[in-house]
Amino acid sequence: MNVIEPRLRSDVSTMEGARRKLEACAREAHELYLPRCVPYLEAPPTPLDFYRSWISPNKPCIIRHALDHWGALRLWDYEYLRKKAGQTLVSVAVTPNGFADAVSGERFVMPEERQMKLSRVLDLIQGKEDKRGGVFYVQKQCSNLLQELPELTSDLDTNISWMSEALGKDPDAVNFWLGEKAAVTSMHKDHYENLYCVISGEKHFLLLPPTDRPFIPYGLYRPAVYHQREDGQFEVVDQDGDKVPWIPVDPLDPDLTRFPEFGSVSPVRVTVRAGEMLYLPSLWFHHVSQSHGAIAVNFWYDMEYDIKYNYYQLIDQLSDITASATP
């Protein structure tokens, strides 16, 4: 008698059972506490209330009137930005298709990064200069507002007082975002509590909770970077280093033949408009697009690596282990 076959059948059955439990956990989270739409707060909360009602349960919300005192809401048109910081060099992501830090075929492709005067970026976005087939996005997440555009910091707060008090810390980074409609942020998650503030235009978020992880495919991809040649064509240049884990599915147009499990996700879509602030909790998956020329600032606060993080890690690892058990 072949003793291996019964053992294999038992292992497969165990994996399938574990997979069913993970999927049931995801569905139960939606039934018990996850919102079907992102709720609005009409005023900034107190630190204690925000921690209890939103950070601790890990639920998103949009906060209105939190930015009303910012000069940026009134001042930051393109003419003002040229006058105040037009000669300042900023880091700009350049791609042929608007997808920076995204999967393309068997590679995880990062943008070509250029140092450009802010005034030139504005000219490109306004169509005053030939883009030569490129899509331009100011998106460097290294606290670029403080590091690269300190001239603009007098027009807003460089931390959100009630959030800093709620978490007992200042933000790790304050980032400035400016880009074309074609510039897209592919689906991913961050280990940060994120306050995303729109100054002008609109940002469109597709959100998935951490508990939907069993339905979200991951792969390992060779790192590469875009490079624009002298003739204007873009090429993909392979990079050294470990393969990058990333999500290969486009949530706006998912290939359900290739990724059938993604059909079980329960996305929440929300548009954040000028003057509004989105609280995007840590570990929530998100895909972001925008209106042309939208301007935003976000605040990253490092998450607490507590039992909530441990539980997510367990779900994440079990999702990977049991992925082969998906029908």
Side-chain angles (χ1 to χ4, degrees):
M1 177 181 176
N2 189 340
V3 296
I4 296 178
E5 287 186 8
R7 192 174 301 163
L8 286 174
R9 286 196 296 271
S10 175
D11 289 346
V12 169
S13 177
T14 299
M15 285 293 185
E16 290 175 347
R19 186 73 189 184
R20 286 193 295 271
K21 293 293 186 182
L22 283 171
E23 293 172 355
C25 173
R27 289 189 290 269
E28 186 177 45
H30 286 278
E31 294 168 2
L32 291 176
Y33 71 92
L34 288 173
R36 296 185 179 180
C37 60
V38 177
Y40 286 80
L41 309 183
E42 293 300 329
T46 65
L48 181 59
D49 180 62
F50 194 69
Y51 191 87
R52 285 177 171 173
S53 300
W54 305 102
I55 298 174
S56 181
N58 195 241
K59 296 193 297 185
C61 64
I62 289 181
I63 304 147
R64 290 172 168 156
H65 305 298
L67 317 177
D68 288 356
H69 61 289
W70 283 13
L73 289 180
R74 299 181 299 276
L75 296 172
W76 282 13
D77 58 23
Y78 286 8
E79 180 181 355
Y80 177 85
L81 294 177
R82 281 192 179 90
K83 186 181 301 182
K84 194 77 179 282
Q87 298 306 301
T88 301
L89 290 174
V90 294
S91 302
V92 184
V94 187
T95 63
N97 53 14
F99 288 86
D101 301 327
V103 172
S104 178
E106 298 302 314
R107 289 169 172 78
F108 173 76
V109 189
M110 296 167 281
E112 178 177 309
E113 188 174 293
R114 300 181 191 169
Q115 292 292 305
M116 302 172 63
K117 289 183 178 180
L118 181 61
S119 59
R120 188 177 174 214
V121 179
L122 296 171
D123 285 345
L124 288 161
I125 290 174
Q126 290 186 298
K128 295 181 177 181
E129 183 178 332
D130 182 9
K131 294 185 292 185
R132 298 178 66 239
V135 177
F136 294 78
Y137 198 11
V138 180
Q139 59 137 38
K140 192 170 178 67
Q141 296 142 54
C142 61
S143 211
N144 65 338
L145 179 66
L146 306 184
Q147 299 298 322
E148 297 187 342
L149 290 165
E151 302 94 329
L152 300 179
T153 57
S154 61
D155 297 332
L156 43 67
D157 297 330
T158 54
N159 78 80
I160 305 301
S161 59
W162 45 267
M163 183 65 153
S164 296
E165 184 176 342
L167 293 172
K169 65 183 78 172
D170 288 331
D172 273 13
V174 185
N175 302 310
F176 175 88
W177 305 78
L178 166 67
E180 304 180 55
K181 184 176 182 178
V184 171
T185 302
S186 68
M187 180 173 284
H188 68 289
K189 69 180 187 307
D190 298 308
H191 295 80
Y192 291 102
E193 310 294 350
N194 189 351
L195 292 179
Y196 202 100
C197 311
V198 177
I199 307 300
S200 67
E202 297 179 342
K203 291 279 186 169
H204 311 292
F205 286 79
L206 184 149
L207 308 178
L208 292 171
T211 46
D212 270 7
R213 172 62 180 89
F215 309 126
I216 299 172
Y218 266 85
L220 288 173
Y221 301 92
R222 183 173 183 176
V225 66
Y226 284 116
H227 171 69
Q228 190 172 25
R229 301 192 305 250
E230 290 297 323
D231 63 4
Q233 296 298 308
F234 281 84
E235 60 186 358
V236 174
V237 181
D238 288 331
Q239 304 290 292
D240 294 330
D242 295 335
K243 288 189 173 182
V244 178
W246 207 257
I247 299 167
V249 67
D250 178 357
L252 302 185
D253 186 24
D255 182 348
L256 296 182
T257 300
R258 184 180 174 196
F259 306 111
E261 68 276 18
F262 194 77
S264 297
V265 300
S266 298
V268 176
R269 291 175 171 85
V270 62
T271 293
V272 188
R273 297 176 172 85
E276 295 179 340
M277 171 192 288
L278 169 67
Y279 168 56
L280 177 58
S282 56
L283 303 176
W284 274 63
F285 298 92
H286 51 287
H287 174 281
V288 192
S289 57
Q290 61 196 335
S291 62
H292 190 74
I295 302 173
V297 171
N298 85 299
F299 298 80
W300 267 347
Y301 289 83
D302 200 16
M303 70 174 291
E304 294 297 324
Y305 292 89
D306 53 15
I307 193 169
K308 190 164 51 181
Y309 174 76
N310 287 134
Y311 281 146
Y312 173 76
Q313 288 293 95
L314 178 62
I315 290 175
D316 182 57
Q317 292 167 24
L318 288 175
S319 296
D320 280 341
I321 292 169
T322 62
S324 60
T326 304

